[in-house]
Structures are given as C-alpha cells and as structure tokens.
Amino acid sequence: MQLSEQEIIRRDKLTALRELGINPYPADLFPVKETSKQIKETFEEGKKVVVAGRLMSVRDQGKAAFAELQDSEGRIQLYFNRDVICTGEDKTMYNQVFRKLTDLGDFIGVEGELFTTKVGAQCVMVHKFTFLSKTLRPLPLPRTDVDGNIFDAFTDPELRYRMRYVDLVVNPQVKEVFKKRTKLFNAMRSFFNEAGYMEVETPVLQAIPGGAAARPFITHHNSLDIPLYMRIANELYLKRLIVGGFDGVYEFSKNFRNEGMDRTHNPEFTAMEIYVAYKDYNWMMEMTENLLEYCAKQVNGTTEATFGEHKVDFKAPYARVTMTDAIKQFTGFDITGKTEAELFEAAKSMGIEVDETMGKGKLIDEIFGEKCEGNFIQPTFITDYPKEMSPLCKSHRDNPDLTERFELMVCGKEIANAYSELNDPIDQRERFENQMALAAKGDDEANGIIDEDFLRALEYGMPPTSGLGIGMDRLMMFLTNNASIQEVLFFPQMRPEKKGPELTEDEKHIIELLKANEGISIGDLKEKAGLSGKKWDAASKGIVKHGLMKIKVEGDAKIAEFLGK
C-alpha cells in the first residue's frame, strides 16, 4: 500500500507512542461522565468533568495551547497547560505526547475542571488526558481565513456518500438529518402503537416475489437448492396476518428492487406498510393525513416544510383528485372506457415513449407520470385508479372499471400508496393471471408467478381491510429539504470505487484549489497553495504526471486546467 507523506508521519508517531509505553488503542473503558452539550447546559465554574472525543483544532502557544474537542453532541474548548498536566520535572506528556505525537482527529479522553476564559468562553482546564485512538489518516478539515471564507470543505457528494464516516465528522450538520430520521420513525411508531396496532416482522428472503410490480434481486439457497428473492414488498405477508386474526399490523421493512438508481431511487429502501381490518380507503385517507401532520410536527415542530423552492404544509385535510380527472385536466384526454390501442396512440401523440409490452395499466401510469404527477405540489390524494394498474386492490364500489386506491403526491412525487384491499380470492386469482399474461408479453415489472399460498390464505377468509405503504426515505427528503435520497441514507448504494492515482497531501491540496478556481493562472495557484518552492515543484509535477492537470498558454499567462472529474 502506497502511503502519503502524512500517513507515514502518523505511523511514525504511532510507533513513538508505543516506545513511550503508551497504548494508542487501549482496551479498558474510559469513564466519560459528560458530553459537550451537557457541560455547556450545566456549566459551573470549577466543576470537575470527564469528557472524550476527537481533537479537531489546536492553537499552540508553546507552554500552553487551546484546542477543540468534538463528541457526539458538539464541541467544547480545552486548555492545555504544560505545568498543569506535568506537575513534576518530567514534561514528556505535554512536550512530546501532546505537542509532537498528537494529531487532529485523534480520540482522547480528558479529565479537568471548568473555567471561563478572559473573552468569556466556556473551557475545560485539562488536568490529564488519555490516548483513546490514534488516527492514521488526516481528516479533510475545512480551513477558514480571516474574512470567514471557507476553503477545502468536504463537499464532493461522491466522497461524502462513500465515506459517510468522514462526512459525519467534518460536516456535523449532516447528523441533524439522521436525528430527524430517527424522530420520524419514533413518531410513526408512537402514532400506531397508541392506536393499538402491532409492529411485526416478515421475511426478507421470499420464495415468490410479490406485493408490488418490480424487478427483484435473486439469490440461491444452497441447502434447499432453490432460488430465493429479496423482498420487493411485504404486503402479502402482512395480509396473511390479518387472515390470522390481527386487526392491525405494521412493519418498517427494508425492500430491494433491482432497478435503476437516481436522485429519488435507491435499490435498497425503507417502506412502512400498515394493514387495518374492517376499514376502507376513505378511512385510510383520513388516517394518513392525520399521521403525516403528527409526524411533521414531531420532526420539525411545525406542519410546514420547505422543499427546494416550495413551501409544503402537511396540515390535514388534503385535496382529493381522481386519476381520470387529473389526466383530463392536464392533457385534455379522457381515459374512461378506452382500449389498449387507443391509450397507446394517445400516449404516443403526447410524446410519451411507449412500446408494445405495455398493457393498459402501464400506459395510463406513463401518461399520468409524464403529464400530471409533477403538477401536484401540496399534499394531494390521487384516487380511483383503473383496475389494470392495481392487481391487489378491491374494485370500486361505484365503478367496476376502477379500484379503491389512492396515492399521496407531494412536490410531484408519490410518498404513499393505499388500497381497499382485495379479499375476493377468485378475483385475486384472475388479477394474478392477468399479471402473468403481461409478464409473458415482456413487461419485466409484472409478476409472472402466482402466489398459491397467498390465494389459499384468502380462501380461508380475510375481513374487509385497508392497507397503506409510505416510502420513508422519500418522506424524509421532504421533511429535511433534501432533493437527493442519498442525503437521507447513511450508506446509499454506490458504483464500485474507481482506484485513482495515489496522491500526496500537497497534490490533493493543489487539486482542490484547481477544482474551486477554474482557469486560474499558475502564479495565482502557487500563491494560494502556500507551499515552499521545493514542495510546489514536486507536487505540481506529480499532478501533471498523473494526467490531472495541464498548463496552457494564453497570451503572456500560463493557465492551469484540471483534467479530472
């Protein structure tokens, strides 16, 4: 493994610590008593404290130094004084261990007492510090100049998502998104539990992929010698529990769909599904709007949320628009009673890309998605879907060509889907057979397998039931004003990491300047880099050698151009 100059230096320091008899990775616990937040909230002059975290900055003043310690709750200022830490003749702990062998990013434990500095800052006078973990790679810490301008911020999405552990350290504001994510799940659980519904778990590995129209991930069970499918939805298992006698069950399920990735789709995502006996989709609409109003308040303290340029209000009630009326409103085309051929021609005339594998349901879905969906900004229930779009949904009580289904749209995106659930086993079998015909026709999202066990369960009788599914990741995006699903997942799926050239710290520093200053002159780049002549020559030649920079002449000026991505 080729190491950078900084990584070599840190490994040398690791060796030096061990030679001094200091274990850089001690096994025994460190008795943390306070967090940085608790210290600030209950600050008391002279109070003894024990705190631990990462060393994030140091202002060395010779015999003393100020530093910042970052823990899970924030930062607290530390004051290191040589004679306080080393009360005897031996000053090794301060002069050697702290000043020479400690790096930014190292975990240390601190015992000390609180005091207020001359400028009124809350601070910990360090009496003793303990090495807890030596870091072997330097953190990509941003720098701030005297005017408050920030340089070298860790903002590249590719790096942030791939190295979330670094992102959380150097961009602590990112933690707030995930704290709100936990609040959302807790709020939803609380809402359901207080209503008397039971949280359950259903299989992730399934013999038949069902409950949604999606392409599954396939694996193989060696002992049974059978294919198994990663769960695309948990619907059919939750309905089995309603058959079994539960009145209300819900699950936060990890689902897996072997489809494309973009800013709103990840192949692994979290959905909440709930099924309640003796209810219908009208009841579920009211429950959904009350649920989301409650969750928004618990997460943000208000029903209002900002998403991009939009202000969204989750306060109930929400508008209700039938799918037929929505398509008629935004296209002028009435889908009522139209044949597959008529829908195909209508979609083509609207400039929608279609092919011969699409049945009526898929064609209507494409028309709505392309021409209508994006127009619904405030929470809106789109209701009464054509039967071909909803193979698991009960026929509409007033129109047998439609189903009792709704989707909740927010800012042009679906975040919830709900039915009056189909509980007629004969009708359900016919719907499954229609799906098989679509699969045979070439629709790779149609389910080409009939779940005989689920049909058998329905034949034992399922009471009238309403079900709801909510995309938790997408809902989180709206509540935290994040346009990308990757921002609300700790570890989003990434393409395999491309191994680029091993760069020195100086080379990395120059490249960050190149990225931030397009078309910069060589003279200005050298000045901003702040490197000695020898270091500049070595680093700039290395970057050119790696094919990451070229120098072009424009008049009398030499311009540096970044060639990477």
Side-chain angles (χ1 to χ4, degrees), residues 177-178 181 473 476-477 480 482 484-489:
V177 171
F178 295 99
R181 185 181 174 102
D473 308 316
M476 197 68 236
M477 290 166 62
T480 58
N482 278 298
S484 172
I485 194 172
Q486 287 86 0
E487 293 288 352
V488 300
L489 300 174

Side-chain angles (χ1 to χ4, degrees), residues 4 47 164 209 227 256 368 446:
S4 68
K47 179 183 177 182
R164 183 67 85 185
F256 306 84
F368 179 79

Side-chain angles (χ1 to χ4, degrees), residues 14 29 40 77 85 138 174 197-198 251 258 300 334 342 371 374 441 443 445 447 476 484 497 545:
L14 183 73
L29 68 82
K40 293 172 183 176
Q77 184 168 255
I85 292 172
V174 172
Y197 308 134
M198 190 169 87
E251 180 179 18
N258 197 356
N300 289 328
D334 188 352
E342 289 172 322
K371 300 298 180 181
K441 189 178 177 181
D443 186 343
E445 288 188 349
N447 194 340
M476 197 68 236
S484 172
E497 187 172 2
K545 181 181 177 182

